[in-house]
Amino acid sequence: MLLPTLATERVAQELLPIIQKEPTLRPGSYSNALEEYAEAMVFKVFLQENRILKASELSLVQVEEYLGGVLDFTGELNRHAVACATRRDSAAVARCRDIVDALMGQFLQFDLRNGALRKKFDSLKYTLKKLENMLYELSLAEATGMKSRDAEPDDPEGMDTGNAAD
């Protein structure tokens, strides 16, 4: 469970003077925590406002932590798209795919060397492929007449419904 936003920011702010005094302490747990924080905030803003949070909106987070958080966010977005696909909400899945595709275009402009960001970027390619496959499968389901799980099931003729009066 994520700590509430204000508590997370408060703890990070309390530790910041120590980190600034001894910058070699930032890599590791502190930086990883801020990357997770960035991921959570980007996902939260996406769900609430349907937009991607800008790095400038996260004052405690450095650029590399923000980028790592955005790349991790795409994994959360993929899981969100699966939930949308389960409801047969192809428009929401398409929106998720479009966001991942746009992020892919942005990240292609970086010269990511071997490292944590490069590994995360490599997973972005697979996330995009999964979302494209999900949309394809949804289009097949729609073409064959499969309905949303939320829709009322039809009573096909000849189907035993358990009623003796049928």
Side-chain angles (χ1 to χ4, degrees), residues 66-133:
Y66 171 77
L67 294 175
V70 168
L71 286 166
D72 288 345
F73 153 75
T74 63
E76 294 302 322
L77 197 57
N78 184 58
R79 285 181 276 286
H80 174 69
V82 169
C84 293
T86 302
R87 295 187 309 272
R88 308 284 193 271
D89 187 350
S90 54
V93 176
R95 173 90 174 116
C96 293
R97 189 264 335 260
D98 292 346
I99 289 169
V100 171
D101 190 38
L103 288 171
M104 173 69 86
Q106 294 297 309
F107 276 95
L108 282 172
Q109 296 177 33
F110 290 101
D111 183 20
L112 298 174
R113 305 283 179 196
N114 290 334
L117 282 179
R118 178 57 195 225
K119 288 179 185 177
K120 290 177 186 227
F121 171 73
D122 290 343
S123 70
L124 177 64
K125 296 181 232 178
Y126 297 110
T127 299
L128 181 57
K129 182 82 170 155
K130 288 179 205 174
L131 289 167
E132 288 171 344
N133 287 338

